[in-house]
Amino acid sequence: MLRTLYDWTLSLAARKSAEWWLAFIAFVESSVFLVPADVLYLPMALSRPDRAYRYALVATVASVLGGIAGWFIGFYAYETIARPVLEFYGKLDAFDALRLSSGTGFILLMLVTSGLAHLPPIKVVTILAGVIGFPLGWFVLSAIVARGARFLFLAWLLRSYGEPIRHFIEKRLGLIAGAGAAAVILLYILVRYAF
């Protein structure tokens, strides 16, 4: 099923309406959809490098708006919407464990790492932020910074290095971003518990 969703999302890049699809995928990715917007963003930016930054802006704005929708789902509709979605993806137990152990500092850290590296998935963090009542203003600011940094960095890479960087991004960027996210989490834990 995941491969079918991935292939379908990738096929949208060739359509005239690709920019609208990018906005839609970036929006729903931040609240309920499984496939990251990068799957659509990368081929679009490679086929039109002159629009890479424009696409990055579209993806950022839509992703932040989708994150706000996820926050509202968590805050106002956890039992009716969020819980069934989490059960569908098999993430309810992990979500409940995060919910019970999360404070605002940890949520902020997860917003940044999920925005940059999809660790944990952004939809989980946006819903969790709403459930625990993370301040909406801080939520929006951190989402803009994290998601904007991700898409603008990809735009810069694609504009600077073009097609050769595509394989690197598709194969290794998640691993590198994951290692960076792990380093940030480790630093947070050290600072929080060592001092």
Side-chain angles (χ1 to χ4, degrees):
M1 179 176 132
L2 183 58
R3 185 64 195 187
T4 304
L5 280 174
Y6 178 89
D7 292 340
W8 175 78
T9 304
L10 188 59
S11 75
L12 299 173
R15 297 184 183 183
K16 287 183 180 182
S17 58
E19 200 167 327
W20 289 105
W21 280 108
L22 175 62
F24 176 74
I25 296 296
F27 181 90
V28 296
E29 174 210 356
S30 294
S31 51
V32 294
F33 194 54
L34 214 54
V35 179
D38 307 55
V39 171
L40 185 54
Y41 172 77
L42 289 172
M44 287 175 63
L46 283 170
S47 67
R48 295 289 308 266
D50 58 311
R51 291 190 176 186
Y53 288 108
R54 174 182 168 153
Y55 296 152
L57 182 61
V58 167
T60 299
V61 169
S63 182
V64 170
L65 291 174
I68 293 168
W71 187 94
F72 277 99
I73 288 170
F75 193 80
Y76 292 108
Y78 175 72
E79 290 297 326
T80 57
I81 296 174
R83 187 179 182 92
V85 167
L86 292 165
E87 285 175 342
F88 176 78
Y89 289 130
K91 301 290 185 192
L92 184 61
D93 292 337
F95 182 86
D96 284 339
L98 277 174
R99 182 175 56 142
L100 295 174
S101 64
S102 296
T104 56
F106 190 65
I107 291 291
L108 184 59
L109 178 65
M110 286 194 318
L111 280 167
V112 171
T113 60
S114 69
L116 294 173
H118 298 295
L119 298 170
I122 190 76
K123 68 196 89 351
V124 172
V125 180
T126 61
I127 293 169
L128 179 62
V131 168
I132 71 161
F134 186 81
L136 186 58
W138 281 107
F139 174 84
V140 171
L141 181 63
S142 63
I144 290 169
V145 170
R147 299 303 276 177
R150 177 182 181 79
F151 288 115
L152 290 171
F153 179 64
L154 288 173
W156 176 79
L157 283 174
L158 293 169
R159 286 289 307 253
S160 300
Y161 301 103
E163 183 65 33
I165 200 70
R166 177 178 172 216
H167 298 293
F168 176 83
I169 290 170
E170 288 177 345
K171 302 257 188 241
R172 295 178 190 89
L173 188 62
L175 180 64
I176 292 168
V184 169
I185 291 170
L186 180 62
L187 180 63
Y188 172 79
I189 291 169
L190 288 173
V191 169
R192 181 172 180 174
Y193 295 108
F195 298 104

